Amino acid sequence: MKVGGEQPYTVTVGAGLLARVRVPQRHVALIHPADLPPAFVETVQAALSPTVTVSVPPRDGCKTLAVYADVLSQLAAANLPRDGAVVGLGGGAATDLAGFVAASYLRGVAFYTLPTTLLGMVDAAVGGKTGVNLPEGKNLVGAFWPPQAVWCDTDTLTTLPSEIFREGAAEAYKHGLIADPSLLPRVLSPDFRPGDPGLEATLADAIRVKAEVVTRDPTEQGERAHLNFGHTLAHALEAHTHHAIPHGEAVGYGMHYAALLSRALGGADLTAHTRAFLRWQRPTPLPDLTFDDLWPYMARDKKADADGVRFVLLHDLGRPYLGRVPGAVLRREFAAWQTDLTLVR
């Protein structure tokens, strides 16, 4: 499928893509997380003969300024030229980092992504958002830097632990809530699993939602913000727990909170959908939390502006909007959210 904009690119979904990947650049830096199966790295190395291969810490451990600086230094030491390319191989955190490296090394070199997780394929690899975290919050440093191409090799999903696959499903389910309700039963279906013949079509449809949105709004001036449904609370949970709650599970929690807020402000009651997803996902139990624990992170989330914190809410399935929620409502529905979580378990 195509992602449009000033720098259009293609997203390819299918089996066996790692071995067939090709880029026109002669000099390539391959960036991957340390815990990636060695066979994936070796397959891409055989296909691309990279100038330098850089291993980074797993998951959000790589999205720090220190790791970012170290990777830049390794590229410089390898003399990666201006007409070279950065290839990000791995989950969403690794491709976020790789994209930010590509955006800033020598003021910008070509970038390609090879996501190997469901979360990376549906969300991080598409759209050109790149960056790292700060202790004060998630994704507070970064750049828009679209890839030249994205290859989603579905064979890589068969190596994922079941809990990591379920974590990644949050973004696909979110796309169902905000744009394509047909995805909701498909994600919760027993057939939605690695190796199933129908997975590729569902995955492609979930990616298409994001591809179409970022084509219309590549730098989040309007509609693209709808993709952040559930993310305001999610990013707060990630930051407060130092990523003990992984991104996809935090989004699952955050979608239910956003559904409660949507209902409180007159939208349709979609909480049955978000409860059903949490039961299916079975996320990591939360530590003891108060609203005041999370509020500072929500207040400086990237969806905040000078007038306060915006939330992505739903009038109904497929009808998202940006709205400001009164503080009293935020606090009241937080208590309702916590009560619901005890019932979901």
Side-chain angles (χ1 to χ4, degrees):
M1 73 194 73
K2 287 282 189 182
V3 181
E6 292 184 5
Q7 301 177 49
Y9 55 95
T10 299
V11 180
T12 305
V13 181
L17 297 181
L18 293 189
R20 304 201 302 271
V21 63
R22 299 290 184 273
V23 302
Q25 288 80 9
R26 291 176 54 205
H27 300 281
V28 171
L30 175 63
I31 299 173
H32 69 88
D35 63 346
L36 199 68
F40 294 175
V41 179
E42 293 162 5
T43 298
V44 176
Q45 286 175 323
L48 296 180
S49 300
T51 304
V52 58
T53 298
V54 182
S55 173
V56 298
R59 299 177 73 83
D60 273 81
C62 75
K63 290 184 60 170
T64 69
L65 290 173
V67 172
Y68 164 71
D70 179 64
V71 174
L72 289 172
S73 292
Q74 292 192 56
L75 269 56
N79 293 316
L80 186 76
R82 191 178 302 278
D83 61 355
V86 169
V87 175
L89 170 68
T95 58
D96 278 1
L97 170 71
F100 190 35
V101 167
S104 48
Y105 179 74
L106 297 177
R107 297 187 175 90
V109 298
F111 173 48
Y112 300 86
T113 56
L114 290 162
T116 59
T117 65
L118 181 60
L119 184 64
M121 293 177 186
V122 175
D123 183 44
V126 179
K129 276 188 179 180
T130 70
V132 297
N133 306 327
L134 295 177
E136 291 78 13
K138 189 164 173 90
N139 295 327
L140 293 181
V141 180
F144 286 100
W145 194 250
Q148 303 289 305
V150 179
W151 295 277
C152 301
D153 187 339
T154 54
D155 284 345
T156 65
L157 300 178
T158 62
T159 68
L160 294 179
S162 59
E163 65 272 14
I164 301 298
F165 183 82
R166 293 196 305 271
E167 179 204 345
E171 297 287 357
Y173 200 77
K174 177 204 71 182
H175 291 170
L177 290 167
I178 68 169
D180 181 1
S182 78
L183 288 168
L184 303 179
R186 294 161 70 186
V187 169
L188 301 186
S189 165
D191 296 334
F192 187 68
R193 63 181 187 272
D196 190 273
L199 175 65
E200 188 174 313
T202 300
L203 180 58
D205 286 345
I207 294 171
R208 188 171 292 109
V209 169
K210 184 167 186 179
E212 291 175 351
V213 170
V214 300
T215 293
R216 295 189 292 265
D217 181 16
T219 58
E220 200 169 312
Q221 301 304 303
E223 180 188 4
R224 183 168 176 167
H226 296 162
L227 295 168
N228 292 318
F229 181 75
H231 283 57
T232 302
L233 183 70
H235 288 163
L237 288 171
E238 291 177 84
H240 179 72
T241 66
H242 304 286
H243 305 286
I245 304 299
H247 179 70
E249 293 183 359
V251 170
Y253 283 125
M255 288 192 297
H256 188 57
Y257 183 55
L260 288 165
L261 294 176
S262 300
R263 183 181 66 182
L265 294 184
D269 185 357
L270 304 177
T271 57
H273 293 289
T274 51
R275 283 192 197 94
F277 180 76
L278 286 172
R279 290 191 183 98
W280 178 87
Q281 188 187 48
R282 305 193 300 279
T284 303
L286 293 173
D288 289 337
L289 293 168
T290 68
F291 180 81
D292 292 327
D293 288 332
L294 300 182
W295 173 245
Y297 299 102
M298 290 192 282
R300 60 175 171 255
D301 187 82
K302 64 181 187 292
K303 289 167 286 302
D305 59 25
D307 296 321
V309 178
R310 301 173 297 164
F311 277 78
V312 183
L313 305 170
L314 291 170
H315 291 299
D316 205 340
L317 289 177
R319 295 178 57 203
Y321 70 100
L322 278 171
R324 300 192 186 282
V325 186
V329 176
L330 290 173
R331 191 176 290 272
R332 184 188 72 219
E333 296 306 317
F334 186 85
W337 172 78
Q338 289 186 305
T339 299
D340 269 6
L341 295 186
T342 63
L343 299 176
V344 166
R345 295 192 195 100

